[in-house]
Amino acid sequence: MPYVNIKVTQEGGPNGTGPSSEEKAQLIAGVTQLLQDVLGKNPATTFVVIDEVPLDNWGMQGQQVTQIRAKQS
Amino acid sequence: MPYVNIKVTQEGGPNGTGPSSEEKAQLIAGVTQLLQDVLGKNPATTFVVIDEVPLDNWGMQGQQVTQIRAKQS
Amino acid sequence: MPYVNIKVTQEGGPNGTGPSSEEKAQLIAGVTQLLQDVLGKNPATTFVVIDEVPLDNWGMQGQQVTQIRAKQS
Amino acid sequence: MPYVNIKVTQEGGPNGTGPSSEEKAQLIAGVTQLLQDVLGKNPATTFVVIDEVPLDNWGMQGQQVTQIRAKQS
Amino acid sequence: MPYVNIKVTQEGGPNGTGPSSEEKAQLIAGVTQLLQDVLGKNPATTFVVIDEVPLDNWGMQGQQVTQIRAKQS
Amino acid sequence: MPYVNIKVTQEGGPNGTGPSSEEKAQLIAGVTQLLQDVLGKNPATTFVVIDEVPLDNWGMQGQQVTQIRAKQS
């Protein structure tokens, strides 16, 4: 009965859209399959929760991702 | 000084409303009482955080809850 | 399909024991019942995970709980 | 490679704005610096995620923060 | 820069060992690959944290997994 | 009433010791001060929880930190 939490940035600017519904479906199917393959876990009781985090709220290198992206472009 | 995090789906479709404010108040009161009854924890320093997760972002059985609900209806 | 995470201190000193197995069973039963009563959630797919945190690793008032307890006693 | 999650209330009423982008930048810079100062952690691989929680979804003293604030004012 | 948290039960009884080091390596490699395949995420900044939860601390169906397993055997 | 969770690796090999009690006290004091300075949060109701993660259970670059460290040395 695994529980998996995936946090990704919500791309496309501060109000941007995150991953599409189809991409989220692929993440859920893929990680559930992985847990079945590696540990024999039952998909019926594998939970996956995806959190989409605004770029302003995610920090790396001591900076907001908003700032990191602005420098990259 | 317990910390409790409750994650529930945001029902009513992809843009649906989750639990009502009154229901959230009942969850907070109930789990705080439970921790006082079972472990003697002080309600003044018991934190409860409720996360409402969109149906597209919650997976079970390797599928999005959106898909599971569509098949059930 | 709620997911609940309960974090409590591991009482009895730095190497102390946390809540007993019986107390953890009561927390699991109680919070599962609460989610059924308030939101109609199915117990079969309600997950509860309890984390026991060493007193040295939990801070409040800018101090470790170990220090707070030492001053109280 | 630390991972830090900061949860704060989204102030200004149920639909209020949370911390400003500038304040979030300060939190990210400050906690990344702290981990470098205390544990020698590399800022390049220090992640910080800030969650802003609606007042209705945060409980303390067995009540929603919405209720606590209403009594204080 | 995704962050993934995988929680699994620590099998083999209350003091049992959880997944082997090799299995954990497979989970880390697999979920990092999945995020690269589906969302184009850079493995260099994909973090994965695995938590192994004692059977007494995981609840489902309103019961500890310890109790569920005892009835199954 | 912020809640902060800091996850760091438990250094010193698979069974190594993590940060010292003194270092954890500094992390707790520092992050509590930061939240007071930036957002005016009350230290009395600021919670900090530190999780020490075994090197085998933390992945980056698609590998366990145990493997990354072995290559570095």
Side-chain angles (χ1 to χ4, degrees), chain E residues 4-45:
Chain E
V4 181
N5 178 229
I6 299 175
K7 289 185 199 296
V8 292
T9 44
Q10 205 171 36
E11 298 295 332
N15 299 310
T17 54
S20 69
S21 179
E22 171 58 24
E23 288 166 339
K24 290 187 274 196
Q26 289 177 30
L27 290 177
I28 288 167
V31 78
T32 303
Q33 184 67 49
L34 180 70
L35 281 154
Q36 188 172 32
D37 291 347
V38 176
L39 296 178
K41 296 295 184 185
N42 184 356
T45 49

Side-chain angles (χ1 to χ4, degrees), chain D residues 1-5 7 58 65, chain F residues 1-5 7 58:
Chain D
M1 61 218 70
Y3 171 80
V4 180
N5 179 228
K7 289 185 199 296
W58 195 302
V65 175
Chain F
M1 61 217 69
Y3 171 80
V4 181
N5 178 230
K7 289 184 198 295
W58 194 302

Side-chain angles (χ1 to χ4, degrees), chain B residues 9-29:
Chain B
T9 45
Q10 205 171 38
E11 298 296 332
N15 300 309
T17 54
S20 69
S21 179
E22 171 58 23
E23 288 166 340
K24 290 187 274 197
Q26 289 177 30
L27 290 177
I28 288 167

Side-chain angles (χ1 to χ4, degrees), chain B residues 6-71:
Chain B
I6 299 175
K7 289 185 199 296
V8 292
T9 45
Q10 205 171 38
E11 298 296 332
N15 300 309
T17 54
S20 69
S21 179
E22 171 58 23
E23 288 166 340
K24 290 187 274 197
Q26 289 177 30
L27 290 177
I28 288 167
V31 77
T32 303
Q33 184 67 51
L34 179 70
L35 281 153
Q36 187 172 30
D37 291 347
V38 176
L39 296 178
K41 297 294 182 183
N42 184 355
T45 50
T46 296
F47 283 8
V48 184
V49 171
I50 300 170
D51 292 324
E52 303 173 39
V53 179
L55 301 191
D56 259 16
N57 291 26
W58 195 302
M60 193 173 62
Q61 307 166 12
Q63 297 184 301
Q64 288 167 299
V65 175
T66 325
Q67 299 170 311
I68 297 172
R69 292 285 155 77
K71 289 171 190 168

Side-chain angles (χ1 to χ4, degrees), chain C residues 10-11 16 21 24 26 38 43-44 46 48 51 58 60 64 72:
Chain C
Q10 204 171 37
E11 299 296 333
S21 179
K24 290 187 273 196
Q26 288 176 30
V38 176
T46 296
V48 184
D51 291 324
W58 195 302
M60 193 174 62
Q64 288 167 301
Q72 288 170 337

